Amino acid sequence: MRLERVELEFEGPVARVWLNRPDVRNAFDGLMVTELRKVLFDLRTVDSVRVIVLGGRGPAFCAGADLEWMRAMTGFTREENLREAQALADLFFTVFESPKPIVARVHGAALGGGCGLVAASDIPVAALGTHFGFTEVRLGIVPAVISPYVISKIGESAARELFLTGERFEAVRAVEVGLIRSAVPEEDLDGAVDRRVGELLQAGPRAVSEAKALIREVAWRRVEDVQRYTVERIAELRTSAEGQEGMRAFLEKRKPYWVP
Ligand code: COA
């Protein structure tokens, strides 16, 4: 597939996925939603790729949904409108459940759906000075399809404040509310992202995706309800090839085969 709105680069075990519509600050329209989802979906089965870095070309990470595109929805039938909304929801879900960990490289601005990409990713790292905001209410709409990912990261209290006001906030506040993991000076952003990537590459590739699945399964549930599942996971993984290699490597004081 020829890509118009997204760029894909490979560097050893790392795939860098760039939103590439800098003129409109990487706002996403239907084509970008389709391309981004397909790229992330296809990367699931590329064995050589172990980590995905998601960033934005130009001055901003992502200005959210393309407001021209959303405004044009009045010309759509209800079914077409629902289909576009479903495609958007599918995109965030693809980010969220990617078996490969996704580090979001965030700079300039992450607004509306841009914040949704941040929330659905695994480890978002931002430049200080990045503007965040769930600006939807100021446009007369709501942060609907992104809300499950955002609320699970920032909680109901911060969501009530930030969703209802639509106010813009800085990276330091985004760290405080738990939307991002760290904020660094802009000139250190790539170094900070590479350090997170380096840490992820220390981990067993299967173990990383199993750890993501574990979090999804366990979060917000009662211990009694998940105990069976957690017992089964550890019983399976400690006898897996990767588990055996990781433990043997530690005991033999060498690196496991997956560490570059
Ligand atoms: N949809 C469509 N176009 C957008 C857009 C969006 N979400 N965000 C920015 N653009 C366009 C602007 O209209 C402008 O187009 P123009 O060059 O034809 O005038 C261009 O992108 C550059 O935007 P500008 O505001 O001049 O750039 P900036 O670097 O000063 O500011 C932002 C960048 C992202 C902070 C600012 O554009 C902004 O606040 N955008 C609105 C984001 C928003 O509320 N998104 C929520 C959607 S639900």
Side-chain angles (χ1 to χ4, degrees):
M1 175 165 127
R2 219 185 116 258
L3 297 170
E4 286 179 39
R5 303 274 201 265
V6 175
E7 212 180 301
L8 181 57
E9 289 175 344
F10 292 99
E11 201 185 308
V14 182
R16 293 181 195 273
V17 179
W18 296 98
L19 309 178
N20 191 22
R21 264 190 112 194
D23 291 354
V24 288
R25 307 303 180 255
N26 299 320
F28 43 76
D29 60 359
L31 181 58
M32 190 189 263
V33 169
T34 304
E35 288 188 359
L36 185 55
R37 174 152 189 254
K38 175 151 177 41
V39 163
L40 294 172
F41 196 83
D42 290 351
L43 283 174
R44 296 157 56 110
T45 49
V46 180
D47 287 342
S48 59
V49 170
R50 291 174 50 196
V51 180
I52 297 167
V53 176
L54 178 63
R57 293 290 192 208
F61 172 70
C62 178
D66 182 327
L67 298 172
E68 288 288 354
W69 173 63
M70 289 218 283
R71 202 169 53 104
M73 298 282 167
T74 49
F76 283 39
T77 64
R78 179 172 159 74
E79 282 65 37
E80 286 167 338
N81 190 353
L82 281 173
R83 220 175 11 251
E84 294 285 320
Q86 184 64 55
L88 197 54
D90 291 344
L91 168 63
F92 293 112
F93 191 66
T94 305
V95 174
F96 176 69
E97 56 111 54
S98 161
K100 323 255 177 181
I102 300 186
V103 177
R105 177 199 183 279
V106 187
H107 75 295
L111 297 166
C115 270
L117 290 177
V118 169
S121 73
D122 298 299
I123 309 182
V125 179
L128 285 164
T130 305
H131 298 281
F132 296 85
F134 303 98
T135 52
E136 285 87 344
V137 283
R138 298 198 178 193
L139 302 162
I141 54 177
V142 289
V145 297
I146 65 172
S147 60
Y149 311 102
V150 177
I151 295 172
S152 77
K153 283 219 165 143
I154 73 174
E156 193 181 329
S157 175
R160 282 187 187 238
E161 180 187 28
L162 299 171
F163 282 14
L164 303 193
T165 62
E167 70 192 82
R168 292 178 192 228
F169 53 98
E170 303 290 326
V172 171
R173 177 110 174 91
V175 174
E176 279 166 11
V177 296
L179 179 62
I180 59 173
R181 298 300 309 151
S182 55
V184 298
E186 177 113 35
E187 61 274 22
D188 296 340
L189 182 59
D190 286 313
V193 166
D194 288 346
R195 281 192 292 281
R196 304 321 296 159
V197 169
E199 298 291 346
L200 288 163
L201 292 176
Q202 302 295 310
R206 178 175 174 202
V208 172
S209 54
E210 291 279 354
K212 268 192 85 163
L214 177 75
I215 296 163
R216 274 186 62 192
E217 200 64 40
V218 170
W220 314 116
R221 292 180 57 197
R222 295 191 322 156
V223 176
E224 304 88 297
D225 295 340
V226 294
Q227 210 168 50
R228 177 77 199 243
Y229 168 82
T230 60
V231 164
E232 282 173 1
R233 292 328 294 142
I234 189 58
E236 181 181 335
L237 291 168
R238 64 189 174 193
T239 56
S240 69
E242 208 177 272
Q244 287 292 306
E245 161 68 3
M247 291 184 279
R248 202 179 312 117
F250 177 83
L251 295 171
E252 292 171 1
K253 303 191 191 312
R254 62 172 174 83
K255 289 179 178 176
Y257 67 78
W258 57 75
V259 173

